[in-house]
């Protein structure tokens, strides 16, 4: 199986549904360079994407932990969401990728902070929040 065979070929309607899950606030429906960025994706919404085959649990991007690992982290730590991008159905690598997570200020206790560092410490951009600052990581 080639790299591209693992990705679901989407119809126009499926792509619209995928994008509406990624962007519940609404989007203009355009892809720039074949990709559309998203942020604030909850683990519940990612689970819907996984169930529908719009995302793959073992998909990784730029050394980020897998989508499944990111979902599990966000489920363990309410207040965290995922960010990344989707690739247009016009491309052979049509997919959803996660580039990192972000968390609300004060959403982690000491054990949660250790978990955040353990899972995401190799990120290219890594910010440990605190009482008044958010948590963020991004893999380039």
């Amino acid at each position: 199986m080639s790299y591209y065979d693992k990705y679901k070929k989407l119809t126009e309607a499926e792509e619209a549904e995928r994008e509406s899950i990624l962007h519940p606030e609404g989007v203009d429906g355009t892809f720039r360079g074949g990709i559309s960025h998203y942020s604030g994706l909850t683990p519940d919404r990612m689970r819907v994407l996984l169930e529908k085959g719009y995302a793959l649990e073992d998909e990784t991007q730029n050394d980020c932990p897998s989508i499944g690992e990111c979902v599990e982290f966000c489920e363990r730590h309410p207040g965290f969401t995922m960010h990344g991008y989707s690739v247009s159905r016009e491309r052979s690598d049509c997919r959803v990728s996660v580039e990192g997570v972000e968390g609300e200020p004060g959403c982690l206790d000491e054990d949660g902070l250790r978990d955040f560092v353990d899972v995401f410490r190799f990120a290219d951009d890594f910010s440990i929040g605190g009482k008044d600052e958010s948590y963020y990581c991004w893999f380039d």
Side-chain angles (χ1 to χ4, degrees):
M1 172 169 40
S2 80
Y3 171 78
Y4 300 111
D5 290 338
K6 68 181 183 176
Y7 300 116
K8 181 177 181 177
K9 308 298 184 238
L10 301 181
T11 65
E12 189 174 337
E14 288 171 328
E15 183 177 70
E17 179 181 44
R18 179 190 73 177
E19 293 304 302
S20 72
I21 296 166
L22 289 168
H23 306 278
E25 71 285 354
V27 292
D28 62 9
T30 60
F31 289 86
R32 289 164 185 78
I35 64 170
S36 174
H37 290 275
Y38 68 85
S39 62
L41 186 67
T42 64
D44 290 344
R45 289 192 353 249
M46 180 58 88
R47 290 252 182 236
V48 171
L49 292 168
L50 291 167
E51 289 167 11
K52 291 183 172 284
Y54 298 154
L56 301 173
E57 197 164 349
D58 63 348
E59 176 72 22
T60 61
Q61 186 62 30
N62 299 332
D63 296 324
C64 185
S66 71
I67 288 176
E69 291 169 303
C70 290
V71 168
E72 289 171 2
F73 177 86
C74 291
E75 288 173 338
R76 286 193 305 273
H77 303 289
F80 269 84
T81 60
M82 293 160 272
H83 57 90
Y85 60 91
S86 59
V87 178
S88 168
R89 71 187 191 91
E90 302 298 321
R91 289 181 29 176
S92 58
D93 61 338
C94 175
R95 68 182 186 280
V96 172
S97 291
V98 173
E99 295 179 302
V101 299
E102 50 199 311
E104 299 169 356
C107 68
L108 292 179
D109 60 14
E110 193 173 317
D111 289 335
L113 179 58
R114 272 199 238 25
D115 194 20
F116 180 63
V117 171
D118 285 346
V119 175
F120 301 106
R121 69 184 172 276
F122 297 117
D124 296 285
D125 189 357
F126 186 82
S127 298
I128 295 176
K131 181 180 177 187
D132 299 320
E133 297 177 27
S134 60
Y135 301 85
Y136 180 84
C137 72
W138 174 70
F139 291 80
D140 182 16

